[in-house]
Amino acid sequence: MTLDINTLLAILAMAFATIFTRISGLVLIRHVQLDERWKTAIEAIPPAVLMAVIAPTAFATGWAETLACAATALAARRLPMLASVVVGVVAVALLRAAVF
């Protein structure tokens, strides 16, 4: 197996860009005062990302996945992100077992 120099440079550039954006976000947020409205908006980002990831599954697969996506969406409104993901995984497993 060989590694092309262009591939290696692309991987290193993407790694640098990822690390730079993550670190710069942490550094910059220290210098910003956030009021309650902004904090609420920022806290809404993780559930929105979760829905963006699972929404295509809801419309491109069967009923079990669609109903599990709905359960995940409802859980994400009240539960932490990890708990919402667990609800979705358990729901899809149970619904698939029920032969939906």
Side-chain angles (χ1 to χ4, degrees):
M1 182 165 104
T2 62
L3 182 61
D4 182 39
I5 189 69
N6 292 330
T7 304
L8 178 61
L9 290 174
I11 291 169
L12 291 175
M14 289 185 283
F16 173 76
T18 301
I19 292 168
F20 176 75
T21 55
R22 288 179 184 231
I23 290 174
S24 64
L26 293 173
V27 170
L28 292 174
I29 199 70
R30 291 181 186 167
H31 303 291
V32 176
Q33 293 288 1
L34 298 175
D35 62 359
E36 193 60 36
R37 215 168 111 199
W38 278 103
K39 286 180 184 178
T40 303
I42 289 173
E43 288 172 359
I45 292 173
V49 170
L50 177 64
M51 290 300 107
V53 170
I54 67 169
T57 303
F59 299 113
T61 55
W63 283 105
E65 290 80 6
T66 303
L67 293 173
C69 288
T72 305
L74 292 173
R77 294 185 50 87
R78 295 282 183 213
L79 300 175
M81 175 84 82
L82 183 59
S84 301
V85 171
V86 170
V87 166
V89 170
V90 169
V92 77
L94 292 174
L95 289 167
R96 283 180 180 172
V99 190
F100 259 107

